Amino acid sequence: MTTQEQVEDTIKWPPHVEKILIDILVEEVNKGTSDSVGFSKIQWRKITDEFNKRAKVNPRMTHKQIKGKFNRLRMKHRSFSTLLNEPTGFGWDPEKGTVTADEDAWARHLLVNS
C-alpha cells in the first residue's frame, strides 16, 4: 500500500466506515448473484449507492474510491490468511481478536516479510 493510500485509509476510512462497506459487500455476496470473478458493474453501482446512503460521508465516495478500498481490504485479507496458514506457530485468539504467536515465530516471519 502506498503512503497516499495509507493516508486516505486513515482519514476517509475510519473503522466504523470500513465496517459499513464490509457489511454491504457481505450482503451482496450472500445474495448469490456474484461469480468467482467479482462484482458486476451494476453491483458496484448498487454497492456505491448503498454505502453512501448508510455511511453519510461528505463528500460522497466515488465508485473508484470504494473499489480501491475493496482491493486494499482484499490484499490485507490475503496477507492475513497467509500469516495464519504458516506452519510456524501462528494462530488466532477469537476472544481477543488478535493473532497469536511466540517471539520466535514473529522473528522468523519478519526475516522473510520485512
Side-chain angles (χ1 to χ4, degrees):
M1 187 179 327
T2 68
T3 304
Q4 181 179 354
E5 289 169 334
Q6 290 171 328
V7 169
E8 180 180 321
D9 274 3
T10 301
I11 295 170
K12 294 183 179 181
W13 295 96
H16 73 282
V17 173
E18 187 177 90
K19 183 173 182 336
I20 291 169
L21 177 59
I22 292 168
D23 290 345
I24 293 168
L25 294 168
V26 168
E27 290 166 14
E28 196 63 33
V29 168
N30 287 339
K31 288 178 185 176
T33 56
S34 299
D35 58 24
S36 62
V37 176
F39 300 113
S40 68
K41 288 181 182 181
I42 293 170
Q43 287 173 303
W44 276 115
R45 194 173 311 124
K46 289 178 183 178
I47 290 165
T48 301
D49 291 344
E50 186 63 23
F51 173 81
N52 282 311
K53 186 170 98 179
R54 290 188 201 178
K56 298 180 177 132
V57 293
N58 193 10
R60 294 170 55 91
M61 295 282 190
T62 65
H63 162 81
K64 184 178 178 181
Q65 288 171 309
I66 290 174
K67 197 167 183 181
K69 178 62 176 176
F70 168 78
N71 288 327
R72 291 189 301 279
L73 286 170
R74 186 169 46 179
M75 287 188 305
K76 283 183 179 181
H77 180 267
R78 284 183 185 151
S79 295
F80 181 72
S81 295
T82 299
L83 178 69
L84 290 183
N85 289 326
E86 287 189 16
T88 55
F90 285 92
W92 177 253
D93 183 334
E95 288 183 24
K96 294 180 183 176
T98 60
V99 173
T100 60
D102 60 29
E103 295 210 15
D104 289 339
W106 278 115
R108 285 189 303 275
H109 176 75
L110 291 173
L111 278 174
V112 177
N113 303 287
S114 59

